């Protein structure tokens, strides 16, 4: 009787866990499925302004926030987001190394996944996260000018 009750509870727990709604691939809570105009409005509401000098009205929009050391580039095709890339502005190689580690650790915790790190040198590091419906890459390149980018790219839909 105890075994039957245990099996019944295990099946109920499995069914309850498998019915969780699937969260679409997103950029900091903004789904890649939203129209570009809605995405721009949402970024504006978060304090990011469109940098019209750096934007290409046909395919890319660049956002900047004076309170954040980051620029966000959103590339789209038609009305669909294709890629989002954050570029961090840092003053030294040490600060970008530390920021790379913080971002990597934060994504590891949020996604509950280990990244694939094909390059882990002092001045060049890459951490790739493969989510269920997208990829996130954290790239550090400390050569003459320190650069740190985080790239969000949804997986291509199969037809």
């Amino acid at each position: 009787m105890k075994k039957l009750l245990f099996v019944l509870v295990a099946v109920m727990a499995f069914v309850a866990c498998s019915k969780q709604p699937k969260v679409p691939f997103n950029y900091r809570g903004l789904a890649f499925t939203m129209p570009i105009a809605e995405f721009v409005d949402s970024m504006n509401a978060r304090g990011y302004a469109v940098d019209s000098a750096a934007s290409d009205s046909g395919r890319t929009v660049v956002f900047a926030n004076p309170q954040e050391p980051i620029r966000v580039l959103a590339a789209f095709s038609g009305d669909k987001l294709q890629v989002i890339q954050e570029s961090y502005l840092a003053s030294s190689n040490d600060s970008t190394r530390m920021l790379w580690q913080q971002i990597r650790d934060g994504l590891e915790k949020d996604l509950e996944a280990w990244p694939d790190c094909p390059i882990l040198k002092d001045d060049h590091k890459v951490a790739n996260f493969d989510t269920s419906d997208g990829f996130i890459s954290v790239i550090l390149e400390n050569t003459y000018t320190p650069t740190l980018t985080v790239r969000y790219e949804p997986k291509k839909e199969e037809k």
Side-chain angles (χ1 to χ4, degrees):
M1 185 65 177
K2 287 182 182 181
K3 289 181 182 179
L4 181 61
L5 183 61
F6 177 74
V7 170
L8 183 61
V9 169
V11 169
M12 287 174 45
F14 175 75
V15 170
C17 290
S18 65
K19 289 186 178 181
Q20 293 178 350
K22 186 179 180 213
V23 176
F25 188 62
N26 68 74
Y27 168 71
R28 299 184 183 261
L30 302 175
F32 266 75
T33 55
M34 68 176 23
I36 192 68
E38 187 178 335
F39 180 81
V40 170
D41 291 343
S42 297
M43 289 296 285
N44 287 334
R46 293 176 178 204
Y48 287 87
V50 174
D51 181 351
S52 57
S55 298
D56 171 5
S57 62
R59 288 182 239 150
T60 60
V61 177
V62 178
F63 300 93
N65 184 339
Q67 284 76 36
E68 299 285 335
I70 181 176
R71 292 178 61 79
V72 178
L73 178 134
F76 56 94
S77 175
D79 199 35
K80 185 174 181 185
L81 282 166
Q82 298 295 314
V83 175
I84 295 176
Q85 180 173 302
E86 298 175 336
S87 297
Y88 288 83
L89 309 172
S91 59
S92 72
N93 288 345
D94 289 339
S95 62
T96 54
R97 285 185 196 111
M98 191 168 39
L99 187 56
W100 182 88
Q101 191 66 47
Q102 290 171 349
I103 292 170
R104 179 199 172 276
D105 291 347
L107 285 169
E108 186 178 303
K109 183 179 177 184
D110 292 345
L111 300 172
E112 297 177 351
W114 289 94
D116 172 33
C117 295
I119 301 172
L120 276 177
K121 300 176 183 175
D122 280 344
D123 290 333
H124 191 184
K125 299 175 189 259
V126 176
N128 297 318
F129 292 89
D130 185 355
T131 68
S132 62
D133 50 359
F135 301 101
I136 302 173
S137 298
V138 184
I139 304 164
L140 171 70
E141 292 176 313
N142 280 338
T143 51
Y144 300 107
T145 310
T147 60
L148 176 63
T149 58
V150 182
R151 184 178 174 100
Y152 296 78
E153 185 173 5
K155 291 182 179 176
K156 304 295 182 216
E157 297 175 4
E158 294 182 25
K159 295 181 181 186

